[in-house]
Amino acid sequence: MSPFPYRLVATDLDGTLLRPDETVSRRTRDALAGATEAGAAHIVVTGRSVPWTRHILEDLGYEGLAVCGQGAQVYHAGEHRLLTSVTLDRQLAGLALAKLEAEVGPLALAASRDGLDGEVLVGAGYRVQDGPLPYLPLDDVAQLWSAPLNKVYIQHPELDDDALAATARRVVGGLVDVVMAGAGVVELLPLGLTKATGLSLAARRLGVKAAETIAFGDMPNDIPMFAWARHGVAMANAHDDLKSVADEVTAASDEDGIALTLERLLSR
């Protein structure tokens, strides 16, 4: 049997490692354990901030590094501490929102505050996905700027996610980065920040190179991670933009796509 060909397995969470009910199957857990027993590290790379990720890591018994907040946070799960954290320039973000609303009209807003316990603030009209993730209502938009932020979420009453993200890139792409991270999730980030930014920092701490990395994802915000890694695997349920740059497409997140790929590699 040939050795496992990668030293790092990077997995997105939503739509990738997680099934629709936000659980990880036993088969996928076993496949990841097999990869780690073969000498590879596993790093979760997610758009979620640490407070929205921690319970999943605890359920997995995960004690290594995790990349959260679209690359803004490198979190040591075993030590419960942030190793790096990048915040959004609030003055630039406010200018970007003003310019974008001048173009498309009023937006529904939410924001993720920085830190291990940073709250997610949700404004009027913002559609929150069903589930257990905690958030605070945003009664006054001025509250948005009262503490350091990792990101701002935007929604539009008429434009779909792709159209909103494309318009935002055109109008304010020189001020902030814009990513589409899931259904109803378009985000404004610090300029130049991507999942690849955080993943490269985490990999460096582990002494692992991009050429030794396989990455799994499902949305356009995973494109930089695929560009950084040696091999990018899109889920069957992935956005077409990610599939177009993937090295391969595996089964959907609820059909153990990660496990299928890792089992194949482990059995060579």
Side-chain angles (χ1 to χ4, degrees):
M1 185 181 299
S2 300
F4 189 70
Y6 302 99
R7 292 185 60 210
L8 180 60
V9 178
T11 64
D12 173 46
L13 280 184
D14 296 279
T16 304
L17 182 63
L18 298 180
R19 295 179 289 191
D21 64 357
E22 295 204 352
T23 63
V24 181
S25 75
R26 172 48 55 190
R27 183 177 180 183
T28 295
R29 291 169 187 256
D30 289 345
L32 286 167
T36 56
E37 287 169 8
H42 171 220
I43 290 186
V44 164
V45 186
T46 178
R48 298 184 186 215
S49 58
V50 169
W52 276 14
T53 306
R54 191 184 294 120
H55 67 288
I56 296 168
L57 302 180
E58 291 172 351
D59 176 66
L60 290 170
Y62 187 105
E63 295 190 344
L65 303 183
V67 177
C68 302
Q70 302 295 6
Q73 300 172 316
V74 177
Y75 171 63
H76 195 303
E79 298 177 1
H80 303 289
R81 65 187 180 98
L82 280 174
L83 303 182
T84 66
S85 187
V86 178
T87 57
L88 181 64
D89 185 309
R90 284 171 277 172
Q91 185 173 358
L92 282 180
L95 177 59
L97 283 175
K99 288 173 67 71
L100 186 54
E101 289 190 320
E103 179 85 9
V104 302
L107 296 164
L109 303 174
S112 176
R113 284 181 170 164
D114 186 42
L116 286 176
D117 299 306
E119 303 95 344
V120 173
L121 308 175
V122 174
Y126 190 91
R127 303 178 303 279
V128 181
Q129 296 179 1
D130 292 336
L133 299 178
Y135 62 88
L136 297 176
L138 180 65
D139 300 319
D140 181 355
V141 173
Q143 291 177 264
L144 213 61
W145 317 117
S146 63
L149 304 173
N150 293 127
K151 67 176 78 174
V152 172
Y153 302 88
I154 58 174
Q155 292 177 346
H156 191 272
E158 297 174 1
L159 296 175
D160 65 21
D161 299 330
D162 288 299
L164 178 57
T167 301
R169 288 190 197 100
R170 174 176 58 82
V171 176
V172 299
L175 298 173
V176 293
D177 266 345
V178 182
V179 298
M180 202 256 278
V185 185
V186 177
E187 302 176 357
L188 307 184
L189 303 170
L191 199 61
L193 178 70
T194 70
K195 283 189 173 185
T197 311
L199 180 56
S200 65
L201 290 174
R204 191 176 307 142
R205 286 177 175 268
L206 297 176
V208 179
K209 299 176 182 178
E212 300 170 307
T213 302
I214 182 171
F216 294 84
D218 74 310
M219 294 301 291
N221 62 321
D222 294 314
I223 290 174
M225 180 168 70
F226 277 24
W228 182 84
R230 174 181 166 190
H231 195 78
V233 184
M235 315 306 288
N237 51 281
H239 191 284
D240 287 342
D241 286 356
L242 186 67
K243 287 181 178 178
S244 70
V245 301
D247 296 297
E248 69 171 286
V249 177
T250 188
S253 59
D254 59 354
E255 296 177 342
D256 292 312
I258 290 176
L260 286 168
T261 300
L262 294 181
E263 288 166 357
R264 186 189 78 235
L265 294 170
L266 288 164
S267 65
R268 284 181 174 179

